[in-house]
């Protein structure tokens, strides 16, 4: 077993955590006033703010609601949505610094353990827990023990970033499962012990018109992927053309016909169904698996259990990666007749992450994606789910958590739209 697959318990350093919180606010989020808006300084991410979040809208009522669910005498699992990579760490850290500074945060094992011994020591001192696929028992045990001490544990129940801030993806059950284990242990000594699953959602909105910057990034993607631009296309139409072209290439690569008379969503779904069928036959010929999430879970398990089958490993990995990548543009993309600049930016980041693999610039973009302009983060805290007073199943609790998070996101987006915070365009994915 490699070092990256071995759990190492975090060793939180309060002084380092406080220092990183201060650095986070200045360098990572807001930038340095006096420099962040002046050329050429605003071209330097460290001066303008790496995440370029100039303002944070975190109402006192929401902050107090979260504070009330944290602290001694209770176990709290904080569950934010996960719309954007890197910025998630920045905003999560800003939130927990105000409610539970020694909160332990889950992160991918590639970040915590995969960047060398010194970086591992740094992340462990920042109280990061490595999420190790297929080997998460020790991480869960540590999380429960830490939560029982009155410190929060933060993890993203959506799992990986999907780049769709308006939609909460189906949730994983880990937070609820750990919460129930903490409740059992806490009640063993205190019959009134409480366990909270505390959802948090945040939405980023540009503070001005960033179409020029988005068009520049779109041109970079077109050039990197060798996609010809149609001169008369609007910016949203260019995004649709990029995706349509990539889908045509995927269809050809897998020997599937391309029906130009169908909408993008219809063609995409047809390819996903066929690739999922092939994946299912590769890992379980005797059983038809119709749920894609379950299929991908079984594919990961098959890979762990069949390490000696090199050819099968390659086939299963390639099919699973293709299915997962294709379904990242979900039905939500074609639901609304209008699309915002924020959603255009998400399409571009998703495309660059999934398809652009040209060199250092693309690698840096995957780890530290740069926004098209200054933004405001709107943080909201839905009502926490008290497992100590919840009688439903794990599945019911996860569904209720999802409902609360999605309602909070939807109401926030509606509120911002009513205030004129978004710039809208016709959505080319709508019925096309």
């Amino acid at each position: 077993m490699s070092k990256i697959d071995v759990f190492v318990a975090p060793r939180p350093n309060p002084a380092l955590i406080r220092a990183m919180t201060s650095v986070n606010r200045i360098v990572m989020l807001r930038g340095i006033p006096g420099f962040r808006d002046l050329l050429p300084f605003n071209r330097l991410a460290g001066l303008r703010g790496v995440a370029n979040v100039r303002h944070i809208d975190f109402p006192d009522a929401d902050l107090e609601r979260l504070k009330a669910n944290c602290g001694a005498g209770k176990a709290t699992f904080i569950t934010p949505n996960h719309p954007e990579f890197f910025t998630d760490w920045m905003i999560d850290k800003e939130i927990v610094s105000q409610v539970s500074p020694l909160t332990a945060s889950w992160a991918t094992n590639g970040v915590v353990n995969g960047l060398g011994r010194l970086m591992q020591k740094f992340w462990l001192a920042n109280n990061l827990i490595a999420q190790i696929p297929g080997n998460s028992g020790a991480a869960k045990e540590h999380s429960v023990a830490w939560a029982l001490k009155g410190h929060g544990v933060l993890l993203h129940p959506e799992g990986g970033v999907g780049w769709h801030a308006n939609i909460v993806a189906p949730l994983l059950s880990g937070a609820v499962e750990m919460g129930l284990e903490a409740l059992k242990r806490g009640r063993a000594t205190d019959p009134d012990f409480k366990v909270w699953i505390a959802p948090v959602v945040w939405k980023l909105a540009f503070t001005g018109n960033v179409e020029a910057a988005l068009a520049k990034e779109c041109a970079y993607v077109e050039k990197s992927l060798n996609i010809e631009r149609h001169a008369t296309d609007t910016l949203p139409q260019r995004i649709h053309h990029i995706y349509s072209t990539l889908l045509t290439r995927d269809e050809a690569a897998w020997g599937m016909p391309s029906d130009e008379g169908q909408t993008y969503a219809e063609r995409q779904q047809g390819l996903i169904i066929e690739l999922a069928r092939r994946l299912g036959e590769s890992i379980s010929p005797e059983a038809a698996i119709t749920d894609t999430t379950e299929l991908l879970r079984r594919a990961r398990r098959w890979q762990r259990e069949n390490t000696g089958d090199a050819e099968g490993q390659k086939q299963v990995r390639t099919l699973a990666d293709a299915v997962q990548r294709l379904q990242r543009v979900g039905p939500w993309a074609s639901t609304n007749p209008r699309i915002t600049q924020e959603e255009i930016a998400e399409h571009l980041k998703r495309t660059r992450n999934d398809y652009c693999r040209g060199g250092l610039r693309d690698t840096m973009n995957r780890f530290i994606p740069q926004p098209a302009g200054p933004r405001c983060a709107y943080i909201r805290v839905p009502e926490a789910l008290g497992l100590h007073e919840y009688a439903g199943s794990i599945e019911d609790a996860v569904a209720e958590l999802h409902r609360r998070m999605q309602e909070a996101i939807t109401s926030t987006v509606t509120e911002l739209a009513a205030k004129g915070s978004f710039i809208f365009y016709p959505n080319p994915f709508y019925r096309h």
Side-chain angles (χ1 to χ4, degrees):
M1 184 176 290
S2 67
K3 290 182 179 179
I4 197 171
D5 295 325
V6 176
F7 175 77
V8 182
R11 296 181 288 273
N13 182 322
L16 177 62
I17 291 172
R18 287 194 297 270
M20 284 300 297
T21 298
S22 299
V23 171
N24 170 64
R25 288 171 178 165
I26 297 172
V27 178
M28 301 299 184
L29 286 174
R30 297 187 175 95
I32 301 177
F35 290 94
R36 64 190 184 189
D37 294 314
L38 294 176
L39 283 170
F41 305 110
N42 61 0
R43 293 177 179 172
L44 301 175
L47 295 181
R48 69 160 185 263
V50 178
N52 212 349
V53 176
R54 301 296 181 82
H55 313 285
I56 293 179
D57 184 308
F58 194 179
D60 290 341
D62 290 76
L63 176 58
E64 292 304 317
R65 188 177 302 116
L66 185 58
K67 279 184 177 179
N69 298 129
C70 298
K74 58 180 75 74
T76 308
F77 295 85
I78 303 172
T79 57
N81 62 328
H82 206 192
E84 181 171 318
F85 193 73
F86 182 79
T87 308
D88 57 356
W89 164 251
M90 302 295 104
I91 293 180
D92 292 347
K93 197 164 185 63
E94 176 67 18
I95 292 169
V96 300
S97 71
Q98 300 182 58
V99 299
S100 183
L102 289 182
T103 291
S105 300
W106 279 54
T108 176
N109 60 333
V111 170
V112 181
N113 296 335
L115 301 177
R117 181 173 296 179
L118 286 178
M119 286 305 298
Q120 182 193 56
K121 184 177 180 180
F122 172 80
W123 290 125
L124 293 176
N126 269 282
N127 214 9
L128 260 64
I129 298 172
Q131 187 272 327
I132 303 172
N135 187 23
S136 60
K140 289 181 177 179
E141 173 63 28
H142 175 84
S143 297
V144 171
W146 190 252
L148 287 169
K149 293 179 180 179
H151 304 299
V153 173
L154 182 148
L155 65 163
H156 296 106
E158 290 180 276
V161 173
W163 296 100
H164 42 69
N166 295 355
I167 299 296
V168 179
L171 305 184
L172 302 172
S173 58
V176 173
E177 292 170 352
M178 288 187 288
L180 289 173
E181 178 61 24
L183 181 63
K184 182 178 70 174
R185 298 187 194 182
R187 285 285 169 92
T189 56
D190 179 2
D192 295 322
F193 192 79
K194 293 179 172 59
V195 173
W196 297 99
I197 307 296
V200 178
V201 300
W202 45 271
K203 167 69 180 177
L204 294 165
F206 291 115
T207 59
N209 191 328
V210 295
E211 182 173 341
L214 291 172
K216 183 178 180 180
E217 184 169 14
C218 186
Y220 172 80
V221 172
E222 290 165 337
K223 182 178 179 181
S224 297
L225 300 177
N226 195 27
I227 295 176
E228 183 179 0
R229 174 189 173 186
H230 296 163
T232 59
D233 277 357
T234 63
L235 178 58
Q237 288 170 339
R238 290 168 67 183
I239 301 296
H240 184 270
H241 179 60
I242 289 172
Y243 270 110
S244 182
T245 301
L246 292 171
L247 182 57
T248 299
R249 292 176 183 176
D250 280 329
E251 289 168 332
W254 292 103
M256 289 282 290
S258 181
D259 186 349
E260 298 297 335
Q262 292 184 318
T263 66
Y264 174 86
E266 290 169 340
R267 292 172 53 205
Q268 176 205 43
Q269 189 59 26
L271 183 56
I272 290 174
I273 290 173
E274 172 58 21
L275 296 186
R277 183 191 65 79
R278 298 183 192 182
L279 177 59
E281 290 180 350
S282 298
I283 64 172
S284 184
E286 71 286 352
I289 308 169
T290 56
D291 181 73
T292 307
T293 301
E294 174 63 15
L295 175 65
L296 292 172
R297 187 187 70 81
R298 292 198 189 186
R300 290 191 293 270
R301 187 174 66 186
W302 187 95
Q303 289 177 282
R304 292 194 299 269
E305 296 174 350
N306 295 271
T307 54
D309 184 354
E311 184 176 347
Q313 284 278 334
K314 180 179 179 181
Q315 180 179 3
V316 169
R317 182 174 59 253
T318 302
L319 281 165
D321 288 349
V323 170
Q324 195 163 9
R325 172 171 47 78
L326 284 165
Q327 69 176 8
R328 276 159 57 78
V329 184
W332 43 263
S334 54
T335 300
N336 298 314
R338 298 191 300 174
I339 189 172
T340 64
Q341 288 194 341
E342 288 75 11
E343 290 171 301
I344 291 172
E346 289 167 357
H347 277 307
L348 285 168
K349 294 303 184 189
R350 189 185 308 106
T351 306
R352 291 188 67 177
N353 181 80
D354 291 349
Y355 291 92
C356 295
R357 305 278 174 167
L360 179 61
R361 182 174 178 179
D362 293 322
T363 300
M364 291 297 295
N365 176 76
R366 284 194 294 277
F367 282 98
I368 312 177
Q370 291 300 288
R375 302 176 293 175
C376 179
Y378 297 86
I379 303 172
R380 300 294 184 263
V381 179
E383 181 184 358
L385 182 64
L387 293 183
H388 51 276
E389 56 189 11
Y390 192 80
S393 65
I394 291 176
E395 292 76 16
D396 291 340
V398 171
E400 177 60 21
L401 182 64
H402 185 278
R403 184 190 67 79
R404 296 183 188 189
M405 294 176 70
Q406 185 60 66
E407 282 189 357
I409 281 290
T410 300
S411 63
T412 302
V413 171
T414 301
E415 172 193 345
L416 295 176
K419 292 179 179 179
S421 299
F422 302 128
I423 296 174
F424 288 97
Y425 304 83
N427 182 7
F429 290 91
Y430 184 68
R431 296 178 181 172
H432 289 87

